[in-house]
């Protein structure tokens, strides 16, 4: 437990209901199959560095088996079913996920390090809601796209990151199945467990064999999926660097591609904003999920006249942030997902100092063992600083000031990314004015990090292309014939 500057009695979530097998195989054609090369890797709990399970490492030959299974299931079963029949399976999966919500939440927290409050209240309920939402569309595709002819794409290869493991799976699997595709999904290597639990749910739901296949492994497993000639669609969420590699690998092939990539989102506080709410919004925008959020408001822009007040309140608020055991219901900031990611964040802290920015961290003691990072804010940050330009993907906020609307729009848009933005003001006209000028796929007004299955999500510029969620999310898995 951490010894924070205020003492809370620990309130630990029970792990009793979670069954973790010592070893997991690949989920191919509705069965658990040992990897052909008989290789496995370990997954650990980042909160205490303890071993959790061994997980099968799929190579290109395993991926080929999974793609063949998905193709056969597409040709023989899934493409023959009516939308209503597909919807029934999706509703069944959604209900089973809901029944097992507590187990899934604890598993997500154990494997990934996020606070139980978030996995319990955000990740898992939203993942269930995505299945319910797309289950409802399965027999209404014609209503979603009136007057259009459409068909499924075929086999979708899907690759997910470690920051929202089950939620990103839901964003991809639910619309793909609703539209009549079959899938081969590769989860991130540090957080495969909820995807494997999801495979058990597919079995329990009686989903026909081969409709969902889960191939665990490292980046080269993902690369083998991308390179497979019999995959019709690649849906990727992850870093911009890997997204660019995937885009290159798909050039000249008929594969359809959607990429949800990195971000460096601007959160803008205007002088007429309700300050206390805005400070809570800043906390939520960047320290939620340890800053492991693609759309995190990692660049804060505060209007000069209120900057001193906002920064003072933010520092005060940070002193009561609880960094500690992710299973503790008091915890605000849990564990960084992996040692590698912690090292990346720490390197950026050194870069920020070397660039001359001023650092502030609250006075708290981090737990040990485990991978933890104090919430950090940098002031005196230059627009050109690497800490203001590059995605850090941790609980690190840069703060800059501005005087005019023109200046803040120019600064906010001066980024290779364009995933999201936040605007805090009491003036509705300014909300409309800024949101129309900000180059970002989502602009939140007087709130941040709000998600809903009906609302499309995706980026501008190097934050990727394509949208997930809503009706837009359906079109990513359909071929239109007009
Ligand atoms: P990552 O390193 O790009 O990995 C993402 C996934 O791709 C993982 O499953 C990874 O496997 C796999 N992969 C790695 N190299 C590959 C290759 N050459 N070909 C195919 N697949 C490959 O990203 P991450 O570190 O897991 O996730 C963090 C990033 O995701 C951040 O940049 C964040 O902004 C972004 N993200 C974006 C969104 C969005 O909606 N825009 C949402 C969440 C996260 P391994 O795990 O085995 O390396
Ligand atoms: Mg893990």
């Amino acid at each position: 437990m951490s010894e924070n500057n205020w003492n809370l009695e620990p309130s630990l979530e029970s792990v009793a209901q979670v069954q973790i097998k010592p070893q997991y195989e690949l989920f191919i054609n509705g069965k658990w199959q040992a990897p052909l090369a008989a290789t496995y890797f370990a997954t650990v709990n980042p909160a205490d560095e303890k071993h959790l399970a061994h997980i099968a490492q799929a190579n290109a030959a395993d991926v080929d088996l999974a793609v063949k299974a998905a193709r056969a299931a597409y040709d023989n079963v899934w493409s023959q079913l009516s939308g209503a029949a597909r919807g029934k399976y999706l509703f069944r999966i959604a209900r089973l996920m809901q029944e097992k919500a507590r187990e899934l939440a604890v598993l997500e927290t154990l494997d990934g390090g996020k606070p139980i409050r978030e996995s319990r209240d955000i990740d898992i309920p939203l993942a269930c809601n995505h299945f319910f939402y797309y289950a409802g569309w399965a027999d209404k595709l014609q209503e979603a796209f009136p007057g259009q002819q459409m068909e499924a794409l075929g086999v979708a290869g899907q690759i997910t990151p470690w920051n929202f493991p089950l939620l990103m799976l839901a964003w991809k699997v639910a619309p793909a199945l609703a539209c009549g595709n079959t899938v081969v999904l590769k989860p991130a290597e540090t957080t495969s467990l909820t995807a494997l639990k999801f495979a058990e749910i597919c079995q329990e739901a009686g989903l026909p064999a081969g409709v969902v296949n889960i191939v665990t492994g490292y980046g080269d497993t993902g690369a083998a999926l991308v390179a497979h000639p019999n995959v019709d669609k690649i849906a990727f969420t992850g870093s911009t660097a890997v997204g660019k590699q995937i885009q290159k690998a798909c050039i000249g092939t008929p594969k359809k591609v959607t990429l949800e990539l990195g971000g460096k989102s601007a959160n803008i506080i205007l002088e007429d904003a309700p300050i206390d709410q805005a400070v809570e919004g800043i906390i939520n925008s960047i320290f939620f999920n340890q800053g492991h959020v693609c759309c995190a408001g990692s660049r804060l822009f505060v209007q000069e006249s209120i900057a001193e007040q906002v920064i003072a309140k933010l520092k005060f608020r940070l002193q009561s942030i609880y960094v500690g055991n992710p299973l503790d219901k008091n915890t605000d900031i849990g564990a960084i997902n992996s040692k590698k990611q912690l090292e990346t964040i720490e390197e950026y802290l050194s870069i920020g100092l070397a660039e001359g920015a001023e650092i502030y961290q609250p006075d708290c003691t981090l737990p040990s063992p485990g991978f933890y990072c104090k919430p950090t804010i940098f002031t005196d940050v230059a627009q050109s600083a690497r800490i203001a330009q590059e995605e850090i993907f941790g609980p690190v906020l840069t703060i800059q000031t501005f005087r005019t609307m023109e200046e803040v729009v120019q600064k906010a848009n001066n980024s290779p990314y364009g995933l999201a933005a936040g605007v805090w003001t009491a003036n509705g006209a300014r909300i409309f004015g800024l949101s129309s000028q900000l180059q970002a796929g989502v602009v939140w007004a007087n709130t941040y990090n709000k998600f809903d299955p009906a609302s499309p999500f995706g980026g501008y510029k190097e934050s990727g292309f394509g949208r997930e969620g809503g009706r837009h999310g359906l079109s990513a898995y359909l071929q239109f014939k007009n």
Side-chain angles (χ1 to χ4, degrees):
M1 285 307 301
S2 69
E3 294 167 34
N4 281 271
N5 56 346
W6 57 327
N7 291 320
L8 294 171
E9 282 299 315
S11 171
L12 293 182
E13 176 62 69
S14 164
V15 295
Q17 72 273 50
V18 178
Q19 312 268 319
I20 301 180
K21 295 183 204 159
Q23 181 169 306
Y24 286 89
E25 311 298 347
L26 305 171
F27 185 67
I28 297 176
N29 206 21
K31 295 188 288 287
W32 296 98
Q33 303 195 15
L36 294 168
T39 43
Y40 294 83
F41 63 94
T43 191
V44 299
N45 179 347
D48 57 12
E49 303 176 45
K50 286 201 181 122
H51 173 89
L52 290 172
H54 282 112
I55 295 181
Q57 190 184 333
N59 63 17
D62 296 303
V63 169
D64 182 51
L65 289 179
V67 173
K68 284 193 173 116
R71 173 65 56 194
Y74 177 74
D75 289 341
N76 304 327
V77 187
W78 203 242
S79 63
Q80 314 295 315
L81 290 184
S82 66
R86 294 196 303 272
K88 271 188 207 163
Y89 284 110
L90 288 172
F91 276 122
R92 210 179 284 165
I93 289 171
R95 282 194 300 270
L96 283 167
M97 285 170 70
Q98 241 175 8
E99 271 171 30
K100 297 175 201 299
R102 188 54 68 95
E103 184 181 3
L104 287 165
V106 174
L107 199 55
E108 204 75 300
T109 285
L110 284 173
D111 204 16
K114 65 174 57 193
I116 186 69
R117 273 204 332 250
E118 284 170 15
S119 45
R120 185 194 62 197
D121 298 345
I122 297 167
D123 291 57
I124 308 305
L126 266 176
C128 298
N129 285 347
H130 268 268
F131 274 93
F132 279 116
Y133 177 78
Y134 282 112
W137 275 124
D139 63 347
K140 300 177 197 72
L141 296 178
Q142 202 61 68
E143 281 71 30
F145 305 102
Q148 300 203 53
Q149 298 291 317
M150 70 205 88
E151 59 192 32
L153 299 175
V155 175
Q158 308 183 319
I159 301 170
T160 49
W162 44 258
N163 59 342
F164 289 91
L166 191 70
L167 184 59
M168 292 300 108
L169 175 151
W171 280 23
K172 292 187 165 38
V173 173
L177 297 193
C179 292
N181 305 271
T182 57
V183 310
V184 178
L185 179 125
K186 193 210 87 74
E189 77 201 47
T190 55
T191 54
S192 305
L193 291 180
T194 44
L196 293 162
K197 184 61 73 180
F198 177 78
E200 293 175 14
I201 289 173
C202 291
Q203 281 185 313
E204 204 176 327
L207 190 71
V211 173
V212 168
N213 304 273
I214 310 281
V215 287
T216 42
Y218 297 128
D220 40 359
T221 309
L225 186 56
V226 170
H228 199 291
N230 239 328
V231 169
D232 301 296
K233 149 102 196 180
I234 292 292
F236 171 79
T237 297
S239 60
T240 295
V242 174
K244 285 181 180 176
Q245 287 176 31
I246 290 176
Q247 201 176 6
K248 281 192 193 129
C250 293
I251 288 174
T253 75
K255 291 189 181 89
K256 297 237 176 331
V257 181
T258 42
L259 302 174
E260 301 278 359
L261 307 177
K264 191 77 181 173
S265 298
N267 198 11
I268 300 170
I269 318 291
L270 304 187
E271 58 194 357
D272 63 354
I275 303 285
D276 290 330
Q277 279 160 263
V279 168
E280 279 312 303
I282 296 164
I283 296 282
N284 173 41
S285 81
I286 179 66
F287 300 123
F288 162 60
N289 197 23
Q290 299 70 249
H292 295 339
V293 183
C294 49
C295 50
S298 50
R299 290 184 298 152
L300 179 66
F301 293 96
V302 190
Q303 201 152 14
E304 203 173 76
S305 53
I306 55 162
E308 208 175 305
Q309 189 191 4
V310 168
I311 293 168
K313 282 185 181 254
L314 195 55
K315 287 180 177 175
F316 180 74
R317 176 67 178 85
L318 277 183
Q319 288 163 21
S320 60
I321 284 266
Y322 198 77
V323 187
N325 184 347
L327 280 173
D328 187 338
K329 292 168 204 161
N330 297 307
T331 293
D332 299 305
I333 297 187
I336 300 300
N337 181 264
S338 66
K339 184 159 186 274
K340 186 166 153 256
Q341 185 59 26
L342 180 58
E343 285 166 358
T344 302
I345 296 167
E346 284 171 345
E347 197 188 328
Y348 274 108
L349 298 185
S350 312
I351 290 169
L353 288 171
E355 287 177 325
E358 192 175 311
I359 193 169
Y360 174 83
Q361 294 180 318
D363 184 22
C364 61
T365 310
L366 299 180
S368 180
F371 312 131
Y372 293 91
C373 179
K374 288 185 184 183
T376 305
I377 60 180
F378 277 114
T379 46
D380 289 336
V381 179
Q383 177 72 13
S384 58
R386 284 184 62 192
I387 55 167
Q389 288 290 332
E390 298 174 16
E391 185 182 42
I392 300 174
F393 221 54
V396 182
L397 177 69
T398 62
I399 305 182
Q400 295 172 259
T401 58
F402 65 93
R403 289 184 184 166
T404 65
M405 295 302 111
E406 294 71 32
E407 181 188 354
V408 76
V409 168
Q410 198 269 331
K411 282 181 168 169
N413 287 342
N414 178 1
S415 163
Y417 296 109
L419 198 51
V423 177
W424 296 80
T425 170
N427 183 324
R430 284 178 164 176
I431 292 174
F432 287 117
L434 280 176
S435 57
S436 63
Q437 292 176 76
L438 291 168
Q439 295 163 351
V442 179
V443 181
W444 284 292
N446 294 327
T447 187
Y448 209 97
N449 278 336
K450 285 276 182 287
F451 302 96
D452 187 279
S455 175
F457 186 87
Y460 276 44
K461 301 191 270 186
E462 291 197 10
S463 292
F465 49 78
R467 294 291 180 267
E468 291 183 315
R471 277 193 310 136
H472 299 60
L474 292 169
S475 59
Y477 289 95
L478 290 168
Q479 176 84 262
F480 292 93
K481 302 170 87 177
N482 284 320

